[in-house]
Amino acid sequence: MEIEVGGEPYVWRLQRQAQWSSDAAGWRGMAIAVRHKEGQREAVLEFPPGPQPRYGAPQLKASQIAPELVAKAIASAIAAGWEPLSRGKTVAIVVDAAGG
């Protein structure tokens, strides 16, 4: 999906649903992958776990994620040092439930 943050175009996708993980010692929150539309360096923005969904609950879709949350998380990643137009490996950045 596309979003504009600070006048710049970004492309993002839901990379991981909130899920149980034996290697992360329990429940992991959702993660979104984002990159500048004209860049190649991706950032993975990891959210806190939050409450576990009911068994059999429908899976979250990217279209259900508030654009404001994505925009704030992207701004937080940039503030934390992610340089979307630089070259390099994907960076993982942990944000809070509000994307901050």
Side-chain angles (χ1 to χ4, degrees):
M1 302 184 81
E2 293 187 20
I3 191 167
E4 190 172 298
V5 178
E8 296 290 327
Y10 292 87
V11 179
W12 69 276
R13 63 185 164 76
L14 180 61
Q15 182 183 17
R16 179 185 73 226
Q17 300 273 348
Q19 64 187 15
W20 174 260
S21 174
S22 58
D23 64 331
W27 199 244
R28 294 172 62 181
M30 76 166 178
I32 61 172
V34 63
R35 67 174 175 78
H36 191 280
K37 194 168 184 180
E38 297 169 10
Q40 295 178 351
R41 189 168 195 193
E42 197 169 65
V44 174
L45 310 178
E46 298 189 22
F47 290 81
Q52 294 184 27
R54 295 185 331 268
Y55 178 74
Q59 293 286 319
L60 180 68
K61 294 182 177 67
S63 61
Q64 295 172 302
I65 300 171
E68 299 81 19
L69 178 65
V70 175
K72 186 171 182 183
I74 292 171
S76 295
I78 293 168
W82 175 50
E83 296 177 16
L85 293 174
S86 68
R87 298 183 64 145
K89 292 192 268 185
T90 298
V91 297
I93 298 171
V94 177
V95 296
D96 65 22

